[in-house]
């Protein structure tokens, strides 16, 4: 439980302008761990040599296949002082390796992480549109 709080805090702080409220991050973790009705998913955490979190990925399974990817990578972040050291790439590679099925993610066009996603094989086929009620 302490670890979960650290993960939420880490993502909230390190996603910067691309992040969400802590409550939403918490819900995403609960979904991944099947603590709420869901298809599950997983949380990956990397640590530095001092056992401090250096990166986090959260993937939720969609319960779909083919026309909707089986997985959605909801959050990925690397600690600001660790960026550019390959941590994000290693997390992405591990995520791809352990995911069953295809993976979708949402990224804002100006997010520099977009180039990492393209490097590891993601492509942009659609423009996402949402209606908020």
């Amino acid at each position: 439980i302490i670890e979960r709080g650290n993960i939420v805090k880490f993502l909230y702080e390190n996603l910067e302008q691309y992040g969400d409220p802590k409550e939403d991050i918490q819900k995403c973790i609960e979904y991944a761990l099947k603590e709420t009705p869901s298809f599950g998913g997983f949380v990956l955490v990397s640590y530095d040599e001092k056992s401090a979190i250096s990166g986090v990925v959260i993937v939720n399974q969609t319960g779909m296949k083919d026309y909707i990817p089986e997985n959605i990578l909801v959050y990925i972040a690397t600690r600001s002082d660790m960026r550019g050291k390959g941590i994000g790439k290693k997390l992405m590679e591990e995520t791809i390796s352990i995911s069953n099925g295809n993976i979708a993610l949402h990224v804002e066009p100006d997010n520099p992480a977009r180039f990492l996603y393209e490097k590891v094989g993601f492509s942009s086929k659609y423009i996402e549109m949402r209606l908020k009620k």
Side-chain angles (χ1 to χ4, degrees):
I1 294 177
I2 294 170
E3 181 64 25
R4 180 177 311 189
N6 290 339
I7 292 169
V8 171
K9 182 176 186 278
F10 177 88
L11 286 169
Y12 181 77
E13 292 173 354
N14 289 281
L15 287 168
E16 297 168 353
Q17 74 264 32
Y18 305 108
D20 290 322
K22 288 181 180 179
E23 298 79 24
D24 291 351
I25 297 168
Q26 179 69 36
K27 286 178 191 174
C28 182
I29 292 171
E30 290 168 1
Y31 188 101
L33 299 178
K34 293 180 107 175
E35 295 175 349
T36 59
S38 72
F39 293 102
F42 59 88
V43 178
L44 290 178
V45 181
S46 65
Y47 297 90
D48 66 14
E49 63 282 347
K50 297 177 184 173
S51 299
I53 297 174
S54 59
V56 173
V57 174
I58 303 178
V59 172
N60 288 163
Q61 294 176 347
T62 66
M64 305 291 212
K65 188 176 176 177
D66 299 327
Y67 67 100
I68 300 288
E70 292 90 336
N71 303 282
I72 182 163
L73 191 157
V74 184
Y75 296 114
I76 181 169
T78 303
R79 198 172 70 221
S80 60
D81 65 327
M82 300 292 284
R83 293 182 186 148
K85 298 184 179 191
I87 293 167
K89 184 175 182 184
K90 286 179 185 172
L91 285 169
M92 288 297 297
E93 290 170 345
E94 184 66 15
T95 296
I96 292 166
S97 172
I98 65 175
S99 293
N100 291 322
N102 296 326
I103 306 168
L105 61 79
H106 298 131
V107 62
E108 295 181 30
D110 63 337
N111 187 331
R114 185 176 135 214
F115 300 107
L116 166 64
Y117 308 147
E118 290 170 344
K119 265 189 200 177
V120 297
F122 285 84
S123 63
S124 177
K125 183 176 176 184
Y126 302 102
I127 296 173
E128 176 183 307
M129 299 173 72
R130 291 185 182 188
L131 172 69
K132 292 198 174 198
K133 294 174 77 176

